[in-house]
Amino acid sequence: MQVIDWELAVATGTRLVRPGPQVSREEARHAVNELRALSREAEGHVREFTRIHAETPPQPATIVDRPGWIKANVEGFRVVLEPLTQRMANRQNPPPAIVTAVGSRITGVEVGAVLAFLASRVLGQYELFLPPDPSGVEPVGRLTLVAPNIVHAERELNVHPRDFRLWVCLHEETHRVQFTGVPWLREYVRSQMTEFLLASDLDLPTLLERLRNAADTVADVVLREGEGNLIEAIQTPEQKAILDRLTAVMTLVEGHGDYVMDAVGPAVVPSVVDIRAKFQARREGGSRLDKTIKRLLGIELKMKQYAEGSAFVRQVVAKAGMDGFNRIWTSPETLPTIQEISDPDSWCRRVLGTDALPA
């Protein structure tokens, strides 16, 4: 059973995504080569600063354009949603084939449209979930940088290109260091996502009720500038508890990335103060329509995660030093809860046994 028509999602996203900035072939080649080189340089800076070490040697990032980012994310979605797809295929009373076919195409178009919106905004990401290679070996992840978006952003902000590219790499490489240097972290995130999906009750009355909630959420956000998003609207109470754990860990890793890029930046990115000020203003800007879509898709939540997570990391490192903070990577039990993100002292008391250690 195919829940989403993935090929249609790729085709729709590729058709709808806006073209990137105009660059010459030589400019494009230079940007790609420089981003690959800077990603390796950034990984060295990040490992030295964070004191998180992995067995894997530094690797250059994978550089993609906007359609390439869409294709990569569809591959990741397929891997993440596989447990849910298998469960639906094994149901005793599956829906008629025509219903499944029509539904999968509608969902494919919707997924493609969302990816088209995001594909012109994402600068880079660490792809946790990739399909196995032909030998069946599951890859550990891949760092991807979206060259057209980085070039567009540096032009729009009027910042030094090499400095901006290295600054972006510092944030994204922090994620590679986190997930390659903390062996259990990737599987923890994956298990929580699988648990979240399988906690969904997919009987028809409940599904219709959730869709009505989602419709109410859209109306509230669009007409009255409410605070909800679609993920919150369709989740079950059981899913909310799982989502709290996922939100906590993703707030931590995103905030850690922001903290590291700002801490390392002044030593290796000469114009970092100018870049940070302009980039922060860009994050908070946008048209009313742009802000509405971001709110619906939960992107505003992600922006909030950067700020809250960075504040948490900064306060814990100030109290306990980097080695004390790195106790956070010991096991899933030492990760902060969603409440502890807002109250770093409570995490210090629970995990370190004290409010503050000598930094």
Side-chain angles (χ1 to χ4, degrees):
M1 174 184 293
Q2 184 166 253
V3 180
I4 299 172
D5 187 328
W6 298 112
E7 288 73 21
L8 184 57
V10 171
T12 302
T14 302
R15 186 177 70 252
L16 294 179
V17 71
R18 292 183 295 180
Q22 292 295 314
V23 294
S24 68
R25 185 172 296 180
E26 183 55 38
E27 287 174 320
R29 185 183 301 113
H30 173 73
V32 168
N33 291 337
E34 186 166 65
L35 284 169
R36 283 185 182 134
L38 291 175
S39 69
R40 295 193 67 172
E41 178 183 333
E43 186 171 11
H45 294 313
V46 170
R47 290 196 187 282
E48 181 180 3
F49 178 78
T50 62
R51 302 177 196 170
I52 300 174
H53 300 288
E55 299 299 323
T56 55
Q59 298 290 327
T62 299
I63 315 299
V64 298
D65 59 8
R66 290 171 178 178
W69 182 86
I70 290 172
K71 293 187 184 77
N73 275 265
V74 164
E75 291 176 355
F77 284 161
R78 294 181 79 153
V79 172
V80 170
L81 292 176
E82 185 177 2
L84 180 60
T85 304
Q86 288 179 343
R87 190 179 78 171
M88 294 184 69
N90 293 332
R91 287 168 64 182
Q92 291 184 344
N93 299 307
I98 183 66
V99 173
T100 303
V102 172
S104 69
R105 289 184 65 80
I106 292 172
T107 314
V109 171
E110 292 170 343
V111 169
V114 170
L115 289 175
F117 174 81
L118 297 174
S120 62
R121 289 159 172 78
V122 174
L123 301 182
Q125 69 183 71
Y126 185 71
E127 296 174 61
L128 276 180
F129 308 113
L130 299 168
D133 64 27
S135 68
V137 175
E138 188 172 298
V140 294
R142 176 176 65 201
L143 179 65
T144 300
L145 299 173
V146 190
N149 295 351
I150 293 174
V151 171
H152 174 74
E154 67 196 27
R155 289 180 176 180
E156 185 180 64
L157 298 175
N158 190 27
V159 292
H160 189 282
R162 186 187 185 280
D163 283 6
F164 183 73
R165 293 169 190 180
L166 178 55
W167 187 72
V168 169
C169 286
L170 288 171
H171 180 100
E172 303 305 337
E173 284 291 351
T174 302
H175 295 326
R176 171 150 54 186
V177 168
Q178 291 162 346
F179 285 101
T180 58
V182 182
W184 54 265
L185 185 59
R186 178 177 178 274
E187 187 52 40
Y188 173 77
V189 172
R190 179 174 186 152
S191 67
Q192 293 299 306
M193 294 181 75
T194 299
E195 192 177 344
F196 178 83
L197 290 170
L198 296 184
S200 173
D201 40 18
L202 295 173
D203 57 281
L204 189 59
T206 303
L207 180 60
L208 291 174
E209 181 186 350
R210 295 277 147 69
L211 290 175
R212 283 195 293 271
N213 290 342
D216 291 342
T217 296
V218 172
D220 184 56
V221 170
V222 174
L223 300 177
R224 295 180 290 278
E225 297 193 11
E227 296 298 321
N229 64 60
L230 293 177
I231 294 177
E232 292 175 346
I234 63 174
Q235 67 188 5
T236 67
E238 185 182 354
Q239 284 176 309
K240 184 182 184 307
I242 303 166
L243 191 61
D244 281 348
R245 294 195 291 272
L246 269 172
T247 300
V249 69
M250 297 317 293
T251 300
L252 171 67
V253 299
E254 293 291 1
H256 189 229
D258 251 27
Y259 170 80
V260 171
M261 77 192 301
D262 285 341
V264 175
V268 297
V269 181
S271 57
V272 67
V273 174
D274 179 55
I275 289 173
R276 166 52 85 182
K278 291 178 177 177
F279 191 76
Q280 191 62 34
R282 181 178 186 261
R283 268 183 182 173
E284 296 167 358
S287 66
R288 185 174 182 274
L289 176 62
D290 198 56
K291 290 179 179 178
T292 299
I293 295 173
K294 287 177 180 177
R295 195 176 299 124
L296 279 171
L297 297 180
I299 297 172
E300 283 199 346
L301 174 63
K302 181 161 183 163
M303 294 177 182
K304 186 179 178 183
Q305 287 176 346
Y306 288 130
E308 291 185 348
S310 180
F312 172 85
V313 176
R314 186 168 58 251
Q315 291 180 53
V316 173
V317 172
K319 288 176 175 292
M322 188 60 73
D323 290 337
F325 169 80
N326 281 342
R327 292 270 299 279
I328 215 163
W329 310 118
T330 304
S331 72
E333 287 69 37
T334 55
L335 290 173
T337 64
I338 196 73
Q339 292 78 21
E340 288 170 340
I341 290 286
S342 303
D343 183 10
D345 284 349
S346 64
W347 179 86
C348 289
R349 286 192 295 271
R350 179 174 68 86
V351 176
L352 304 180
T354 179
D355 275 334
L357 295 175

